[in-house]
Amino acid sequence: MDSILETAKSWLTDFFDDATKKEVQNLIDTNTEELKDRFYKNMEFGTGGMRGMMGAGTNRINKYTLGKSTQGLSNYLRKSYTEEEIKVVIAYDCRHNSDTLARTVAEVFSANGIKVFLFSELRTTPELSFAVRHLNCHAGIVLTASHNPPEYNGYKVYWTDGGQIVPPQDGEIISEINSLSFEDINFSSDDSLIELIDKDVDEAFISQSVEKGSFGAAGKDDFKIVFTSLHGTSITAIPEVLKRAGYNNVTVIEEQAKPDGDFPTVKSPNPEEPEALSIAVAKAEEIGADMVVGTDPDSDRLGIAVRNLEGKMEIVNGNQAMVLMTKFLLEQQKEKGFQGNEFIATTIVSTPMMEAMAKAYGVEFKTALTGFKWIGKMIKDFPQSKFVGGGEESFGYMVGDFVRDKDAVTSTLLACEIASQAKANGSSFYKDLIDCYVDYGFYKEHLVALTKKGMSGAEEIKQMLKDFKENPVESVAGSKVKWIEDYNTSIATNVISGEEKTIDLPKSNVLIYETEDGTRVAARPSGTEPKVKFYISTNTTLENASDFKSVSAALDIKIQTILSELQLS
C-alpha cells in the first residue's frame, strides 16, 4: 500500500492538470480500495491493445496514460523510420471522451513532428484499418473499448499493413513506453501537422466494402433486413453499403441509431449477448423481416438473427456465422478455380469445423491465438498465399484482405448476400447452415465467461487457471482426455501414449483439453476484460438434415453434462 500511495502522490505534481489532482487527492482522502485499484499497476497492452475504465490513475484510461503510450509510440516510429515523413491516422468511436482523447493523441504525435490524419467524426474500426494502407501511413490508432461497458475506453494500435501490432513491434513499443515517465510526454501540439479527414476516405472504404462483399445475389427486392448499430459507429457505413449493394428493404432501429456512449437501450452493446438484439428481433417479427444484423460500438463484431425451421427469429453464434460465410466464400472461389495457394483461418478457441471444411475443399487451414491481430499477421507473413476469409467465435469475421481486422461492415453485406441468395433458391441461411453440418460434421459450441473485477479478481482468475492446469481433467462427458495443449509451455501432450508435440504459436495463457471423441474444453483469461473464459466444443455426425433437431438436443445435453462436471453451470 505504501508504494501505491507513493505512486498516487506523484500525480499531485504541477505536471498534472487541476481536475486530475483533485480526483487523486479525493481518492487518497476517502477511498483506499478505489485508490488501490487505480494505482496498483500500469495499464497494459492485451489482445486488443489498451482497454480499461476511464479516470485518473496509472490503471485507468486518461490523457496521461494514453499520452505516455503515444509518446512511446512516437519515439519508436522516429527510431524505425529515420529518413521519411512519418504519418499516422486516428479514428474514434461513440464512447465518452473518445473524441477528446483522440485529439490529445493527435496532439502528442504532432508535438513529435509526426503527420496526423484525424477523422473529423466517429468512424468504424475497419475503416481505420483500411485507412492505414489507403493513406500510406506507418501506424494507426483507434480510440475504442469495443463492446465493454460505458465506463470503459481503449486504444488500439495498427501497423503499416493495417493490422494490429504483433511481435516484435508490440514488445518493442511497450519497452519504449515503459522507459518513460509521464513528464516525458510532449503535449505541445503542432496543429499544422494535424489534418482532418472524412468523405474521401469514406468513399474509398465504402466502395471497397461493396465490391468485396457483393456476389450478385438474387432476390434482393424480396429480402427484408432489420439493422441496428447499437448506438455505435456502424451507422456511418452499413446503411450506405447495403443501399449501394441493392438492398432497399432495410429497416434501421431508430432508437438505437444515434451514437451514444451510455448505450441507453441495452444492458451491454455486445451482439454476443442476445439481449442486445432484442429490440431488432422484435421489430423483425413485427414486420416479417428475413434477417437481423446488429454491430458493436466500433463495428468490428456483428450479431445475426435469421428465421429457424419454425419460422421464428433465432440468433446464430459467431462460430455458426463464420462457418457459413467461409463455406460461401470457398464456393465462390471454387467457381473461379482454386490456384492452390488459398487458405482460411480461425483461432484456437473457435470451432474445429473450420478445419474439417478446409480439408473438404482442399485448401490450407491456419489457426492462431485468440485476437484478430494474429489472423491479420498471417496475411503479412504469407504474402504468396491468398486469404479467402476467416473469423473467430466472438462474432468477428474478415472477408479477404483489404481490411486487416475483423470487419462487421463488409461481413454484414456478405451475410445478406448469403441469406438473400438462399431464400431465392427456396432455402434459407439457417437451412444452409444445417447442410454444412451434414457435409462436415455437426459441431456445437458453448462459452462460459466469468467476471472477476479488480485486484482480487485478477488473483482469482490466476488461481482458477492454475487449478485447471495442475488438477487435469481425466475425462469429459464419458470420453477420456487424449491431448492436453499447454500454450504457456508450447507443449501438447498425449496423456494416453505419452507423445509430446511442440505448439508452433507464441506462448499464451491458454490450456485446452481434447478427448478421444473430439470434445474440446479450453480455458483462458480475457485479454481486454476482467474475465476468465471457458470454451466448450462438442461434435457428432448428422446423417440427414431431418435429424437436426434431435441431434442438436443430444449435443445440448452433452454440453450441460460438461458444464456440471467442470462446475461451470
Side-chain angles (χ1 to χ4, degrees):
M1 188 60 210
D2 287 346
S3 66
I4 290 172
L5 189 59
E6 186 180 338
T7 303
K9 285 182 177 178
S10 72
W11 280 51
L12 300 177
T13 64
D14 287 343
F15 177 78
F16 296 89
D17 63 67
D18 289 342
T20 297
K21 288 188 283 187
K22 185 177 179 181
E23 189 176 341
V24 173
Q25 186 64 60
N26 185 55
L27 289 169
I28 292 171
D29 294 340
T30 66
N31 197 334
T32 303
E33 286 306 308
E34 178 72 6
L35 184 75
K36 274 186 189 176
D37 191 54
R38 291 193 185 204
F39 284 96
Y40 83 93
K41 67 173 185 176
N42 291 325
M43 183 70 63
E44 297 168 351
F45 275 75
T47 54
M50 292 172 72
R51 195 183 300 182
M53 287 189 281
M54 291 177 278
T58 58
N59 188 33
R60 290 291 186 269
I61 295 290
N62 52 64
K63 66 178 284 188
Y64 299 103
T65 52
L66 294 191
K68 186 178 172 185
S69 292
T70 305
Q71 184 64 53
L73 179 57
S74 297
N75 293 351
Y76 182 78
L77 284 165
R78 288 167 65 93
K79 289 176 182 177
S80 301
Y81 302 101
T82 56
E83 303 296 323
E84 53 193 287
E85 181 191 30
I86 302 169
K87 297 181 287 185
V88 301
V89 56
I90 302 171
Y92 59 91
D93 71 1
C94 58
R95 288 178 176 274
H96 298 304
N97 305 316
S98 280
D99 54 351
T100 54
L101 289 170
R103 183 76 201 186
T104 297
V105 169
E107 288 172 354
V108 174
F109 277 128
S110 73
N112 285 275
I114 293 172
K115 169 72 176 176
V116 180
F117 297 103
L118 174 64
F119 277 99
S120 61
E121 294 179 307
L122 78 174
R123 289 296 188 274
T124 68
T125 287
E127 183 165 349
L128 182 279
S129 171
F130 169 81
V132 172
R133 290 196 301 152
H134 180 70
L135 297 170
N136 296 311
C137 289
H138 298 83
I141 304 287
V142 61
L143 279 294
T144 179
S146 189
H147 56 276
N148 284 54
E151 63 269 24
Y152 281 73
N153 215 319
Y155 177 96
K156 287 167 72 172
V157 183
Y158 292 76
W159 209 238
T160 54
D161 63 321
Q164 292 180 53
I165 55 168
V166 292
Q169 280 86 8
D170 57 355
E172 292 168 357
I173 291 166
I174 290 166
S175 294
E176 195 73 50
I177 294 165
N178 290 342
S179 72
L180 302 175
S181 67
F182 288 104
E183 286 76 10
D184 292 322
I185 306 167
N186 187 349
F187 283 115
S188 302
S189 172
D190 180 351
D191 289 349
S192 69
L193 289 174
I194 301 174
E195 179 181 338
L196 296 182
I197 56 172
D198 39 49
K199 292 178 182 176
D200 288 347
V201 181
D202 293 344
E203 179 57 35
F205 172 66
I206 287 170
S207 296
Q208 281 284 289
S209 296
V210 173
E211 180 184 330
K212 303 298 184 185
S214 294
F215 296 92
K220 293 180 183 180
D221 292 338
D222 190 39
F223 189 72
K224 282 187 180 180
I225 303 161
V226 172
F227 167 70
T228 175
S229 56
L230 297 179
H231 304 289
T233 60
S234 64
I235 198 69
T236 66
I238 288 178
E240 181 64 19
V241 165
L242 291 176
K243 181 181 175 183
R244 291 196 194 183
Y247 292 95
N248 297 312
N249 216 332
V250 180
T251 299
V252 176
I253 301 297
E254 292 300 333
E255 60 262 49
Q256 296 178 325
K258 184 180 178 183
D260 188 335
D262 286 324
F263 312 112
T265 64
V266 293
K267 291 178 183 174
S268 167
N270 183 358
E272 291 181 84
E273 304 288 343
E275 183 272 336
L277 299 182
S278 58
I279 294 174
V281 168
K283 174 59 76 172
E285 295 287 20
E286 177 192 328
I287 66 172
D290 299 292
M291 175 175 269
V292 167
V293 178
T295 56
D296 68 344
D298 69 325
S299 191
D300 60 359
R301 299 170 194 246
L302 75 161
I304 298 169
V306 293
R307 298 206 174 270
N308 62 20
L309 298 178
E310 284 73 44
K312 294 292 184 185
M313 297 305 295
E314 181 177 321
I315 296 170
V316 296
N317 65 37
N319 284 312
Q320 292 170 317
M322 169 175 61
V323 161
L324 195 50
M325 287 180 179
T326 307
K327 155 85 171 174
F328 184 87
L329 293 175
L330 286 170
E331 278 295 316
Q332 298 296 317
Q333 187 63 47
K334 184 179 177 182
E335 287 181 16
K336 293 179 189 173
F338 287 116
Q339 302 302 306
N341 64 341
E342 295 86 358
F343 76 96
I344 62 173
T346 190
T347 66
I348 57 175
V349 296
S350 299
T351 179
M353 189 173 174
M354 287 284 281
E355 184 172 12
M357 193 159 56
K359 286 177 181 175
Y361 278 90
V363 300
E364 189 176 358
F365 170 75
K366 295 183 186 294
T367 186
L369 295 177
T370 307
F372 229 89
K373 64 182 182 181
W374 300 111
I375 294 178
K377 184 176 185 292
M378 290 173 183
I379 297 168
K380 182 169 66 172
D381 288 349
F382 299 95
Q384 305 308 315
S385 298
K386 180 181 179 181
F387 177 72
V388 176
E392 58 186 357
E393 55 76 37
S394 57
F395 288 59
Y397 198 81
M398 186 163 71
V399 183
D401 65 0
F402 85 105
V403 168
R404 301 294 175 90
D405 201 354
K406 49 186 180 282
D407 172 10
V409 178
T410 316
S411 298
T412 292
L413 176 54
L414 172 60
C416 292
E417 293 279 289
I418 294 168
S420 182
Q421 185 63 58
K423 184 180 179 184
N425 291 343
S427 182
S428 70
F429 192 97
Y430 202 85
K431 289 176 182 174
D432 282 2
L433 178 62
I434 294 172
D435 288 342
C436 285
Y437 292 145
V438 174
D439 291 341
Y440 313 115
F442 192 170
Y443 290 78
K444 196 162 196 176
E445 280 75 32
H446 185 82
L447 169 67
V448 177
L450 305 176
T451 300
K452 306 287 180 182
K453 292 185 178 179
M455 195 172 173
S456 61
E459 285 300 316
E460 200 174 343
I461 288 171
K462 190 175 176 182
Q463 188 61 47
M464 287 179 77
L465 291 166
K466 185 180 178 187
D467 291 344
F468 196 66
K469 178 178 180 177
E470 293 181 354
N471 302 294
V473 176
E474 293 183 0
S475 68
V476 178
S479 180
K480 285 178 68 176
V481 169
K482 184 177 182 181
W483 288 98
I484 298 178
E485 301 169 9
D486 188 340
Y487 288 80
N488 250 337
T489 61
S490 301
I491 294 172
T493 305
N494 185 321
V495 294
I496 297 172
S497 69
E499 176 192 359
E500 287 190 350
K501 292 192 295 189
T502 300
I503 298 170
D504 190 22
L505 289 173
K507 293 185 187 301
S508 183
N509 191 11
V510 183
L511 193 73
I512 300 177
Y513 294 110
E514 182 173 326
T515 71
E516 290 181 313
D517 71 359
T519 297
R520 286 170 68 85
V521 179
R524 62 174 282 271
S526 170
T528 54
E529 299 173 90
K531 291 182 177 180
V532 58
K533 295 184 175 183
F534 295 88
Y535 305 80
I536 296 163
S537 176
T538 61
N539 70 91
T540 188
T541 55
L542 182 64
E543 297 296 336
N544 299 290
S546 57
D547 297 329
F548 169 73
K549 286 185 189 175
S550 61
V551 175
S552 182
L555 287 178
D556 283 337
I557 292 169
K558 185 173 184 177
I559 287 170
Q560 290 306 313
T561 299
I562 296 168
L563 294 175
S564 179
E565 288 179 357
L566 298 177
Q567 299 181 327
L568 295 173
S569 56

